[in-house]
Amino acid sequence: MSYYSVETWTIKEVASAFKLENGDQQNRKVIIPIFQRGLRWDDSRRKSFIDSLNKGYPFGSLLFARHYNNVNLYSVVDGLQRGSTVCDYVFNPLGKNNISKIDIEILTSIRQALFPGNQTISVNKEIEKEILDYFFDKKSFDKIDLSDLAEIIYDKFTSLEKFRECTKLIKEQLKKFTNERKTEYENVCSSSVPIVIYTGPQELLSEIFNRINVKGIALNKYEIYAATWSQSKKDINNIEVIQNVIKNILLLIQRIILLRGLMPLKCYQTEN
């Protein structure tokens, strides 16, 4: 007897299901169950995964468990790292995690517009910083104004009288760069993802999670405890175990807050 089916979602639908309060356009909502581990991927793995999506490379399916009393509500069993990565990219494509440099050809063209004949390459870095700071502040394509950014760069670097001509050249270069990135973004958002939908007994989820992760990044002992105890009541007398369980619960709360785009918790304090 099979406890699963396979569906196809787009990357944007996955991100929306993770991030938005009401889920994606079909009202599908994905939540993070208590047995899940924390976010483990570093920036290099996140960027590599997004690059793979943009290039159309295949990757493994995600595993969601459908709740028995709500057909539009799912728990992520396998795929939290990938899900959180695409969530951040879809909703913050110009954020610090998703863009770190501007093409040198673009920077050189802007420098030449600002300082005709200037061959000082170091100026490129200053121009790049102004562009990235603007992108990091806006975070998404629908919030940027290239005319505004061109004026910011012009005011920062030159006192030339040819304002209209210079800002036009700067805007043309910025438009070339953002159009390329926006095309990449749209390619990623429209990419298809195989989703395995588990519909079997809920009490088997922690066992399925453990089996999937046997050959992956090793769970620490407290994550194993969390997965084991998620379906039944246990009495715990070991103070070290109690403190670490509390710590992991707080980390889980922090992760949910970050995924929903709320203010992060400033500090944690636990008592013995």
Side-chain angles (χ1 to χ4, degrees):
M1 180 179 182
S2 177
Y3 284 135
Y4 67 89
S5 59
V6 180
E7 299 179 1
T8 300
W9 297 16
T10 65
I11 286 292
K12 188 171 184 179
E13 288 172 336
V14 171
S16 297
F18 266 87
K19 176 79 172 179
L20 302 181
E21 183 176 353
N22 295 320
D24 67 1
Q25 290 186 339
Q26 299 182 49
N27 295 320
R28 296 177 299 196
K29 177 65 181 172
V30 175
I31 62 174
I32 303 171
I34 192 65
F35 56 74
Q36 268 291 354
R37 66 178 75 187
L39 299 179
R40 296 290 191 86
W41 280 10
D42 57 22
D43 288 347
S44 62
R45 291 193 69 175
R46 295 166 71 90
K47 290 177 181 177
S48 178
F49 179 63
I50 294 299
D51 183 59
S52 295
L53 290 177
N54 183 52
K55 292 177 178 177
Y57 295 167
F59 64 94
S61 62
L62 306 182
L63 174 57
F64 297 161
R66 178 179 285 133
H67 285 225
Y68 66 91
N69 59 347
N70 186 341
V71 296
N72 284 328
L73 185 63
Y74 305 82
S75 291
V76 55
V77 181
D78 185 49
L80 176 60
Q81 312 304 320
R82 287 166 288 168
S84 63
T85 297
V86 300
C87 185
D88 179 62
Y89 180 76
V90 168
F91 289 98
N92 303 288
L94 297 177
K96 290 184 179 181
N97 289 335
N98 300 311
I99 184 170
S100 59
K101 63 181 180 180
I102 307 298
D103 298 344
I104 190 170
E105 295 83 2
I106 301 295
L107 295 172
T108 298
S109 295
I110 292 175
R111 187 191 77 237
Q112 291 173 348
L114 292 168
F115 310 106
N118 188 316
Q119 300 300 316
T120 307
I121 302 298
S122 61
V123 177
N124 284 15
K125 278 294 180 184
E126 298 178 47
I127 297 171
E128 182 177 54
K129 182 179 184 304
E130 290 297 317
I131 296 172
L132 290 178
D133 284 348
Y134 181 86
F135 286 164
F136 295 162
D137 179 60
K138 302 302 180 182
K139 294 184 175 61
S140 61
F141 293 103
D142 59 349
K143 294 181 180 178
I144 63 174
D145 183 329
L146 296 184
S147 296
D148 183 39
L149 178 54
E151 290 185 21
I152 290 172
I153 295 171
Y154 178 89
D155 292 340
K156 174 74 176 180
F157 291 100
T158 185
S159 59
L160 291 174
E161 297 298 327
K162 298 181 179 180
F163 171 81
R164 185 180 298 276
E165 179 181 346
C166 188
T167 53
K168 180 181 178 182
L169 291 172
I170 295 172
K171 183 178 177 180
E172 287 175 355
Q173 294 304 314
L174 293 171
K175 186 175 182 180
K176 184 187 301 183
F177 177 81
T178 54
N179 281 349
E180 290 175 357
R181 294 302 175 275
K182 193 170 184 180
T183 297
E184 292 178 0
Y185 172 78
E186 291 170 349
N187 287 339
V188 170
C189 286
S190 62
S191 298
S192 297
V193 187
I195 308 291
V196 177
I197 305 296
Y198 173 76
T199 55
Q202 298 291 300
E203 59 267 21
L204 296 180
L205 287 178
S206 58
E207 179 185 349
I208 294 170
F209 174 77
N210 280 331
R211 292 194 179 198
I212 289 172
N213 284 283
V214 166
K215 295 184 179 180
I217 297 175
L219 300 172
N220 65 43
K221 61 182 179 180
Y222 302 108
E223 288 171 332
I224 293 174
Y225 290 159
T228 303
W229 297 337
S230 63
Q231 300 298 330
S232 60
K233 182 179 179 180
K234 301 286 183 180
D235 292 323
I236 309 168
N237 297 314
N238 186 313
I239 190 64
E240 181 187 2
V241 172
I242 293 172
Q243 288 176 334
N244 279 279
V245 169
I246 292 173
K247 177 182 177 182
N248 278 277
I249 290 173
L250 291 172
L251 289 174
L252 174 65
I253 294 171
Q254 178 74 351
R255 183 169 75 241
I256 293 171
I257 288 172
L258 291 174
L259 285 174
R260 291 185 176 180
L262 302 176
M263 291 297 293
L265 300 178
K266 297 299 182 183
C267 61
Y268 303 124
Q269 183 175 356
T270 60
E271 297 179 353
N272 291 341

